[in-house]
Structures are given as structure tokens and as C-alpha cells.
Amino acid sequence: MNIRKLAWKNLFRRKSRAVFTGLGIFLGIGTFVAIVSLTARMEQAVQDKLDRFGANILVVPRTEELRLGFGDISLGGAQVAHARLTMADRKAIRSIELSERLRSVVPFFLTAADASGKDLVWMGLPEREIAMARPWWKMSGAPIRERGEVILGSEAAAALDKGPGGTVTSGGRKFRVAGVLQPTGEKEDGMVIADLGEVQALGKNPAGVTFFEVAALCKDCPVEDIVGQIGEALPGARVSAIRQVVESRKAAVDQFRRLGMGVSAIVLAIGGLMVFVTVMGSVQERTKEIGVLRAVGFRRRAILSLLFWETGWVSLLSSILGALAGLAAAMLASPLFGIEKAGVALSPALLGVAIGMGLGLLGTVPPARRAAALSPTEAIRSL
Amino acid sequence: MKPFIHLSDVSMLYGNNGTIAAALRSVSLAIDAGEYVVITGESGAGKSTLLTVLGGLQVPTSGAVSIKGVDLSALSADRLADFRRETIGFVFQAYHLLPYLTARENVMVPMSPLRAGAREKAERADTLLCSVGLCGKEDRLPSELSGGECQRVAIARALIHDPPVLLADEPTGNLDSATGEQILDLFSELHRSGKTVLMVTHNRANLSRATRSIRLRDGLVAEDGPLMAPYQAL
Ligand SMILES: Nc1ncnc2c1ncn2[C@@H]1O[C@H](COP(=O)(O)OP(=O)(O)O)[C@@H](O)[C@H]1O
Ligand SMILES: [Mg+2]
């Protein structure tokens, strides 16, 4: 017989009380774990999207007429020809103070040029950076591997009636079609994509850049600061963060998280209160018993540890059960929140168990102090 | 040399919203080791209060209590708890066993804050239970024992640390007279084995077993005298 065992036995004597004490923690931790793992998964999903977008900052010349939006590129030939950015600006972007946060700075050059007798928009970007700048591109055929190769957007391919292996002529040169993009829903569907240098040569603008796509290494990176610093480095350019869509989705997750945290906090507070009330009731009920324990030589500390062991057992069991229930709930609810891959994240569960223990013990502090302060004469006085 | 148990000018006042009740008024007592003292008196005379003060369960309003030369008022709450555990065994009228523990576990309760092997504790408990006549009933719950048997368990619990002093507050109050006699036999036996026994009782028949009788009235010692040679009844 030791205090731990005494506490354990006491719990079994008052099963319904123990269940009631544990219920608050169970519900609180269950809610907490469910919400935390759901938001973690939602964040992961959003982060995946962010990463797939690649670039998150767009640098364009400060030209009123030229409106280049991500996914909404409209071109007036004349304006494009007068692109005011150059390859030298890449260095300037690379040398901002937060440059170590820049994962990539990709120059794009757009020009309208002949393609086998049709006037099409040519988009040039460094051939080696295509895979990173447009990771979502799917194509039949192969990516560009050497000079003299192009990729056709799906509409351009249809208009030219060319496929992989075909040739496109422009400015007296022959280009081999390496691959054809599957429809992306973007303007590039109608474009011919080639290496930057070749498109610059076609446009007769050897160092010209229409826009830069900048990808910052981001989880919580200071995009606004980076935007500001690039703006300072390139006074003639308009720099904008292009994460609105993702950001708004992220804001929704944040909102959900805040709401969830609020709900968890309330449920946890109620759980703590339930512990407090039930343990306080148990102390009141056991005045005599505590007096006897004091009379037979229990120090105050022993009474404290008896009560803490009791709620410790209950908190441990109920928070483990709560965490499991929370994980299960998150798993079941995942599809409702558009989360496809629902792996089990252990850290919210562990955190939940820790919080549950903390909560149980915290709720026990006032009643335990009260119990320890009880006079041992209570046992005898009741005679 | 100080007496084994010594009370000097002990007063115990209880304040109850404005009114003050004096449960003990300047009580001075000297009790030697090996005495068997019965304490009698009307209900409300202060008998239980005297026991709690003697046992270090409460600190008197004024006056000093010393046992084995230790001044109880000089002890911290923790040291006092340790002192109770080592020096004093309490037996209550209502047994005060923990209903969810077996007889053996109840006897072990005072040892539970201490580091000792579970096996050792259980063996000691079993030995004691046998010595109070409960061989074979170690695994019963209090609800499965008679009143007299419960009181035997409580006595075994009081003895677990082999204290030199036993304080009993009407230990036979809840028992029929035949069972009460058996419990008193047990106390006599313990007294003979060297324990100092102080027992509050209503029952004048107890007087035949004790060596000394103290009668309280209104918080004062009204009578105090030696009794005839003990164990004549045995
Ligand atoms: N904790 C207490 N608070 C207030 N009054 C008390 C308390 N304990 C005892 N008393 C009072 O002190 C007096 C002596 O009580 P007690 O020692 O229990 O007497 P006895 O055991 O002889 O019946 C009684 O008048 C009782 O009402
Ligand atoms: Mg009394």
C-alpha cells in the first residue's frame, strides 16, 4: 500500500465521480486535438498549394497600360516591345537585404512573333528553370533539353496543328517541338515557350525582361518586407505579392483555427472547472477520511499527493481517451474540409495529453490545498 | 525528570461566532509510562478535546503539552505528523476505516507515505491482524466484518508503527457489551505489553481494568486517582 495505490483504489470506490471528473477533460482534450490536427492538416494543404504556385512575387515595369497579372496576362505588342526591365535587374533583386529568403528569381520575356506563318506570343524563360517555375505543367512529349527546342501551349499546338517532333519556323529559324502542354487554363495555352535567350533574340531585345517571378522561401516569410525591398531596388518596377488567393484561403484557415482555439479554450476551461468542482466535492465528502489520515501521521504533503495522484490517474486516462477520440474525429471530418491525405499526426495528441494532465492538476490545486489545511481533529469531532 | 506525558495549564477555547466555549480550563496532568488511564465525564466535559490535545491533533489555546520530553508546541506541522505516527496510536468510536480497503490495506494505510517494500508492509499488517484475532480475515472489506472486528482492524492500524501511547475515544461506544468486553481485553493485553493507554469511556465497568481514573467536568479535572490493582477481572 502506497499513496499511488490508495489514490487508485479511491477512484474505484467513486466511479461515477471519477467518470464525471474525467468527462470534462475528455471532451476538452478531444475538441482540442480534433481542431489542432484539422487545422494542421488544412495548413499543410494550403502550404502544398503555395509551394505548387512556386512564385509569390511578381515584378513588372511601372507602365500604366501594361497590365500583367498572374494568370491574366494581356499583351499589346508595342508595350511588350518596350519592356523596361533588363537582365541587370535580376542582380538588383538578388542583392536585397532579405536575399537569402529568395528561392528563385526567374526572368520572363514575352514577345509577339511569327510562328510558321501565325502571329503568336512567345514566352521565354531560362530553360533550366522551367521545371521549377512551372512545376504543375504536364506535357506530352519531353521538356526542352537543348537550344532550338520549344514547347507549345495546347491551343497553340492546335492552331499550328503540330505535336511533339514537329517543327515551327520563325525569323528564318527552325524550332523543334519537344512537347505539348496539357491545357492549363492560363494564357500560356496559346503561347510558344522557348528558352529565354532565343525569345529575346526573336524580339530583338537581347537583355530584355518583361517580368520577373520571384519565389520567396515561405512559411511565415515577410513577403511584404521582401516586396518593399525589391521595390526600393527597382524604382521603375511595380512589385506585388501574388498570393491573394492562397492568402485568403490561409486567412480562412486562420479564422477556423482561431474559432477552434476559442471553442477549445472554453471547453478546456469547463473541463478544468469540472475537475475543480468534483474534487472540491470529494474533499468535502471526505473530511473525516482526510482527518483520519492526518491523525495516523500523514503529512500535509501526503494528503496533497493523494489528491494529485487521484486526479492524475483520471486526467491521464481521460486525456489519452480524449486525444484518441479527437484524432478519430479529425480523421473522419477531414474529407469535409477538403483534405485528401489524412495521416495521423501524433504531436497534437501528445500536446493534448500534456494539456489534459496540466488542466487536471491545475483544477486540483485549490481543493487539494483546502484538504491539506483541514484540521485532523475533524475525524474525532464528528463523534 | 519530566513525566512521560505532561500537560501544564492547558486551556482549549473554541470561538463560535462571538461566543467562546472553554473545552479545557487550565488542565495540568502528569501521566507516567505504562499507566492505563480511563477518562470519564459527562458529554461535553472536554474528554475528546483532551485526547486531541494529548495526541497533537490540535494545539491548545494556551499551556504546554509534552510527551517523552518533546514539547509538542515546538514542532512544525510536518514534525507533529511524524510524531503522531511514531508515538501515538488512535482508536476511534466509529472505527474510521476506509470502506474501500480490505482489512490488511486499512492496517497498512499509516505506512503508505513511507518508503518500504509492499511485501514488508503486508507481512507486518498480517501479523498484527492475527495478534488482534483476525487471522484469515485479512482480505475482507469493513462491510464484511462485524463492528467488533472493525474495531480490531482499527486497533491493528493504530499499532502498525508500534507506538508507545494508545489514545482511544470511546472505542466500545458502538459495540454491544460482550463485544466491548473483548475489545477491552485487547486493550488490557496491550497495556500489559507495555503500552501507555488513555481511554475515554462512558462505561464504569472499564474502571476495573485501568490503573488510574480521571473525571472531567466542564473542562476541569474533577477527580483523579489510582484504581485497584488491575487485571483482577481477568
Ligand atoms: N471544534 C469545535 N468547535 C467548537 N466547539 C467545540 C469544538 N470541539 C468541541 N467543542 C465544544 O467543547 C466542549 C467539549 O467538547 P468535547 O471535548 O467533544 O467533549 P466530550 O468529548 O467530553 O463530549 C463542548 O462544549 C463542545 O461543544
Ligand atoms: Mg467526545
Side-chain angles (χ1 to χ4, degrees):
Chain A
M1 179 65 47
N2 53 36
I3 295 214
R4 207 169 44 213
K5 198 169 164 204
L6 197 58
W8 182 251
K9 294 227 162 194
N10 212 319
L11 285 182
F12 276 91
R13 172 198 182 192
R14 298 175 169 85
K15 283 191 203 81
S16 54
R17 183 186 285 284
V19 166
F20 197 65
T21 307
L23 198 64
I25 293 180
F26 173 82
L27 291 176
I29 297 307
T31 313
F32 173 82
V33 169
I35 284 168
V36 168
S37 34
L38 263 183
T39 43
R41 280 188 206 148
M42 284 167 75
E43 274 195 321
Q44 189 54 51
V46 170
Q47 192 58 42
D48 287 350
K49 283 221 168 78
L50 256 183
D51 288 347
R52 263 200 294 146
F53 264 95
N56 46 19
I57 296 170
L58 194 63
V59 181
V60 300
R62 203 180 278 284
T63 310
E64 289 302 315
E65 307 92 305
L66 182 66
R67 306 207 60 81
L68 280 173
F70 188 76
D72 177 29
I73 296 172
S74 57
L75 297 164
Q79 286 141 348
V80 170
H82 290 123
R84 290 173 202 162
L85 295 171
T86 68
M87 289 304 280
D89 295 329
R90 189 183 204 183
K91 268 211 184 86
I93 295 173
R94 277 283 183 204
S95 58
I96 63 166
E97 203 181 317
L98 283 165
S99 57
E100 82 278 4
R101 307 298 292 263
L102 301 180
R103 190 179 58 191
S104 68
V105 180
V106 182
F108 284 75
F109 183 75
L110 301 180
T111 189
D114 169 59
S116 298
K118 291 219 161 62
D119 215 18
L120 289 181
V121 175
W122 289 63
M123 177 166 89
L125 71 163
E127 163 253 309
R128 267 185 213 134
E129 292 170 45
I130 294 178
M132 190 203 53
R134 291 290 181 270
W136 60 89
W137 273 0
K138 293 195 178 88
M139 62 183 104
S140 48
I144 295 174
R145 254 165 299 167
E146 52 192 14
R147 287 185 69 86
E149 286 187 340
V150 296
I151 298 168
L152 297 180
S154 56
E155 287 166 22
L160 295 170
D161 193 22
K162 305 274 186 201
T167 51
V168 174
T169 55
S170 183
R173 284 195 58 194
K174 267 190 179 169
F175 295 92
R176 203 179 80 83
V177 178
V180 174
L181 291 184
Q182 285 170 19
T184 61
E186 308 280 352
K187 298 284 179 193
E188 52 222 35
D189 283 353
M191 297 184 182
V192 181
I193 297 113
D195 180 62
L196 179 68
E198 301 194 294
V199 181
Q200 283 170 334
L202 278 180
K204 303 188 176 57
N205 193 345
V209 173
T210 313
F211 62 90
F212 288 101
E213 276 186 7
V214 178
L217 286 174
C218 275
K219 174 106 177 164
D220 303 301
C221 70
V223 174
E224 296 313 319
D225 295 348
I226 295 174
V227 165
Q229 288 181 12
I230 297 176
E232 270 169 42
L234 301 178
R238 194 155 52 91
V239 186
S240 50
I242 49 166
R243 324 204 307 161
Q244 289 89 337
V245 181
V246 180
E247 287 290 356
S248 67
R249 170 108 201 220
K250 203 168 179 179
V253 173
D254 277 350
Q255 226 158 24
F256 175 80
R257 199 222 320 252
R258 267 198 292 278
L259 178 75
M261 285 298 154
V263 172
S264 300
I266 292 169
V267 180
L268 287 174
I270 293 172
L273 211 64
M274 271 166 84
V275 173
F276 170 79
V277 168
T278 49
V279 178
M280 196 57 113
S282 144
V283 165
Q284 231 132 26
E285 213 172 77
R286 286 154 69 192
T287 302
K288 209 183 284 181
E289 177 179 323
I290 292 165
V292 172
L293 295 178
R294 297 278 283 131
V296 301
F298 273 44
R299 291 180 173 193
R300 288 179 183 194
R301 286 262 302 272
I303 302 291
L304 286 179
S305 65
L306 176 65
L307 288 169
F308 278 115
W309 271 110
E310 283 183 32
T311 36
W313 285 123
V314 174
S315 313
L316 185 67
L317 282 178
S318 51
S319 47
I320 287 176
L321 290 178
L324 291 177
L327 286 181
M331 201 96 102
L332 291 177
S334 281
L336 298 178
F337 292 89
I339 302 160
E340 305 112 36
K341 45 170 190 178
V344 176
L346 220 55
S347 53
L350 293 178
L351 184 66
V353 172
I355 291 178
M357 291 292 292
L359 201 67
L361 297 181
L362 203 70
T364 311
V365 170
R369 286 173 65 117
R370 191 189 158 119
L374 279 176
S375 157
T377 56
E378 299 295 332
I380 295 182
R381 201 152 75 85
S382 54
L383 287 175
Chain B
M1 179 119 167
K2 262 195 168 174
F4 186 62
I5 297 175
H6 190 227
L7 275 72
S8 64
D9 273 339
V10 168
S11 294
M12 189 76 215
L13 306 178
Y14 292 111
N16 269 337
N17 40 17
T19 65
I20 291 177
L24 295 174
R25 305 163 197 250
S26 286
V27 172
S28 295
L29 275 178
I31 295 164
D32 290 323
E35 285 198 82
Y36 183 162
V37 183
V38 288
I39 301 166
T40 56
E42 306 273 299
S43 174
K47 308 180 295 293
S48 295
T49 303
L50 180 65
L51 278 197
T52 61
V53 167
L54 270 171
L57 291 178
Q58 32 184 6
V59 181
T61 315
S62 65
V65 181
S66 74
I67 297 180
K68 288 191 350 188
V70 177
D71 181 0
L72 299 195
S73 63
L75 298 180
S76 68
D78 279 352
R79 294 297 310 142
L80 199 56
D82 296 344
F83 180 84
R84 279 198 296 272
R85 187 174 59 230
E86 287 152 17
T87 315
I88 294 166
F90 287 95
V91 179
F92 310 99
Q93 176 176 356
Y95 329 130
H96 287 326
L97 301 177
L98 306 191
Y100 50 96
L101 299 182
T102 64
R104 178 188 297 115
E105 288 165 341
N106 262 294
V107 174
M108 290 195 288
V109 159
M111 293 186 105
S112 52
L114 305 181
R115 272 178 215 285
R119 178 73 149 280
E120 237 169 89
K121 290 179 182 177
E123 272 170 15
R124 171 134 182 81
D126 286 355
T127 310
L128 278 168
L129 282 170
C130 253
S131 76
V132 298
L134 290 179
C135 279
K137 298 186 174 171
E138 297 86 353
D139 289 315
R140 297 212 189 164
L141 291 170
S143 56
E144 299 162 340
L145 294 169
S146 70
E149 287 170 332
C150 281
Q151 195 58 294
R152 286 169 194 267
V153 175
I155 291 169
R157 178 179 65 186
L159 296 171
I160 189 85
H161 289 295
D162 198 17
V165 181
L166 285 177
L167 300 181
D169 198 346
E170 307 197 34
T172 61
N174 282 6
L175 304 174
D176 63 67
S177 57
T179 314
E181 277 298 312
Q182 290 166 8
I183 294 297
L184 292 177
D185 287 345
L186 199 50
F187 273 100
S188 295
E189 218 174 280
L190 291 167
H191 174 229
R192 251 177 304 164
S193 76
K195 308 280 185 203
T196 305
V197 179
L198 284 88
M199 182 188 292
V200 170
T201 182
H202 274 313
N203 189 347
R204 310 267 325 163
N206 288 358
L207 297 184
S208 58
R209 300 161 178 275
T211 61
R212 179 174 172 186
S213 161
I214 293 176
R215 187 168 179 75
L216 290 183
R217 187 180 302 134
D218 290 337
L220 292 166
V221 177
E223 287 168 27
D224 181 358
L227 291 166
M228 300 299 294
Y231 313 131
Q232 285 175 341
L234 290 180

